[in-house]
Amino acid sequence: MSAGSPAEAATGDGAVLRAMLDAEAALARAQAEAGGVPGRAAQALTKAAGSDRFDARRLALRAGAGGNPVIPLVADLRAAVAELSPGDEEFVHRGATSQDILDTALMLVAARTLDLIGVDLAATAASLATLADRHRATVMAARTLTQHAVPTTFGLKAAGWRSLVLDAHDRVVRVRATLPVQLGGAAGTLAAFEEYGMEGAGLVGAGLVGAFAAELGLRAPELPWHVLRTPVADLAGVLAFCAGALGKVAADVLVLSRTEVGEVAEGTGGVSSSMPHKSNPVRSVLLASAARQVPALVSTLYASMAAEDERPPGAWHAEWSPLREALRLCGGAARGAAVLCGELSVFPARMRSNLGVLGEGAGGLGAAEGMVGRALERGVCPPAHP
């Protein structure tokens, strides 16, 4: 689902490396603004961080010695700055701890991925609005507990899908705006920054922290959150909701596109390796897969909230992989949903035919048309508004 999607690139090893470099450079610029780092050092660090001399794989292999990739990255950055501005390498990573940089980098990765997800969710909602308007009077069987129930319309079903997608979009936008930088120093006290004489460093949410956040387009937190994992938990909840909302659309398309139902079909179905006559609803299959995987990944993120002391052993480290994978899966699902809903084929004649299997009784076609007509009059099946 995520292979080849923008979210794959936005959450890959290279993207995390770029975010760590961006965080280090932004911190140096913020420190220069606060008066604790010479401007030339911040410029040299920014130039070094923008180069392509750093390799994610080599950093990963060296990370075992210290337990995270920031430690070898800082060593490489200092060497790069020493070449550009000898003596200024001492200002690299000044006062920060590894978790400051990696937490900030992962929030940057999340922000950049959520921006992509938001665009695709908006496109999906727009396609569903078109479907809802076009099919507001297209009668079909509602199904409860797998069986035909009373009649409904496909327009109402599409409007329901759109409502969920808009809910997901709203949550993505809201949580994106809350993603914070991390800056606390060794024990979350900002003491090292104050010792280096940076004006305003001790004012949480202002001074150095505010300048750091402004450099990166993230929020300035009220407190360092090394062990206060609200930002990650909030993000986790949004990712689970997003995957589930798109999974609901997929679940319905999978049922309605069964051979014996045949009421919708993906615009471009997938092939089978053994049965050339098949056109499999592969986008829906992959959306359904993501909806089942993301909650399991999110459970690890919630479990990591139980983080002891001022810096945790293991809980923080456990977040890195599932957070990136949940972002990647949601990003791939959002892109897949945009294509699915934009290309979905709807077969009103088959919907009417399927209604006819119950005859002219309470669930039959004649009753369906009357009920839908009355629903339209009452506004129960309204057009979907943009």
Side-chain angles (χ1 to χ4, degrees):
M1 170 59 70
S2 59
S5 71
E8 180 188 30
T11 56
D13 290 347
V16 176
L17 172 57
R18 170 46 45 206
M20 289 192 294
L21 289 166
D22 289 346
E24 289 284 6
L27 179 58
R29 293 192 299 270
Q31 289 174 312
E33 181 180 329
V37 165
R40 68 175 187 280
Q43 292 173 3
L45 202 162
T46 297
K47 183 176 181 179
S51 71
D52 59 0
R53 64 184 289 165
F54 306 98
D55 181 83
R57 177 62 178 165
R58 287 200 297 269
L59 287 172
L61 292 173
R62 294 159 58 202
N68 72 75
V70 177
I71 295 172
L73 177 64
V74 169
D76 291 351
L77 261 177
R78 285 178 174 148
V81 170
E83 293 177 12
L84 294 170
S85 185
D88 284 338
E89 61 271 19
E90 68 174 289
F91 298 109
V92 175
H93 196 72
R94 199 177 208 205
T97 192
S98 296
Q99 191 171 350
D100 289 335
I101 299 304
L102 192 47
D103 273 347
T104 298
L106 289 175
M107 291 297 101
L108 267 179
V109 167
R112 291 162 179 173
T113 307
L114 290 178
D115 288 341
L116 298 170
I117 292 173
V119 170
D120 284 329
L121 290 175
T124 302
S127 294
L128 290 173
T130 299
L131 286 172
D133 282 342
R134 183 180 300 153
H135 294 284
R136 61 192 299 257
T138 299
V139 293
M140 66 178 295
R143 294 171 175 91
T144 62
L145 304 182
T146 77
Q147 305 299 298
H148 279 210
V150 297
T152 185
T153 70
F154 183 72
L156 184 59
K157 182 178 284 290
W161 294 345
R162 177 177 178 269
S163 179
L164 269 180
V165 171
L166 288 175
D167 286 343
H169 181 270
D170 289 347
R171 284 161 172 76
V172 164
V173 171
R174 282 201 299 270
V175 82
R176 164 65 177 88
T178 69
L179 297 179
V181 296
Q182 177 75 276
L183 195 62
T189 64
L190 292 168
F193 299 106
E194 293 177 336
E195 185 165 327
Y196 286 127
M198 282 169 254
E199 182 182 355
L203 300 175
V204 178
L208 176 62
V209 179
F212 183 37
E215 286 282 348
L216 294 171
L218 297 174
R219 186 178 63 82
E222 293 182 359
L223 293 170
W225 48 279
H226 292 149
V227 287
L228 310 174
R229 307 308 283 175
T230 301
V232 176
D234 286 347
L235 176 58
V238 167
L239 294 175
F241 184 93
C242 181
L246 298 177
K248 161 58 179 170
V249 178
D252 281 348
V253 172
L254 288 170
V255 170
L256 297 178
S257 62
R258 288 177 181 269
T259 304
E260 60 272 24
V261 178
E263 295 179 356
V264 303
E266 293 192 3
T268 306
V271 300
S272 167
S273 64
S274 60
M275 292 171 282
H277 66 280
K278 294 183 71 180
S279 180
N280 295 322
V282 291
R283 293 192 189 280
S284 298
V285 168
L286 294 173
L287 286 171
S289 171
R292 287 162 173 78
Q293 293 179 73
V294 172
L297 296 166
V298 162
S299 69
T300 299
L301 301 178
Y302 282 134
S304 295
M305 289 186 69
E308 59 271 50
D309 300 325
E310 279 62 55
R311 297 272 305 288
W316 170 55
H317 306 74
E319 294 173 349
W320 307 342
S321 179
L323 177 57
R324 290 170 61 196
E325 184 63 18
L327 284 164
R328 184 179 299 122
L329 283 168
C330 282
R335 174 52 56 95
V339 176
L340 169 67
C341 295
E343 297 180 350
L344 190 68
S345 297
V346 181
F347 306 115
R350 187 61 179 264
M351 293 176 176
R352 290 169 63 89
S353 174
N354 287 341
L355 268 173
V357 300
L358 295 183
E360 293 298 320
L365 181 57
E369 291 174 332
M371 291 176 67
V372 169
R374 292 190 295 274
L376 288 169
E377 290 175 2
R378 294 194 304 270
V380 176
C381 302
H385 299 290

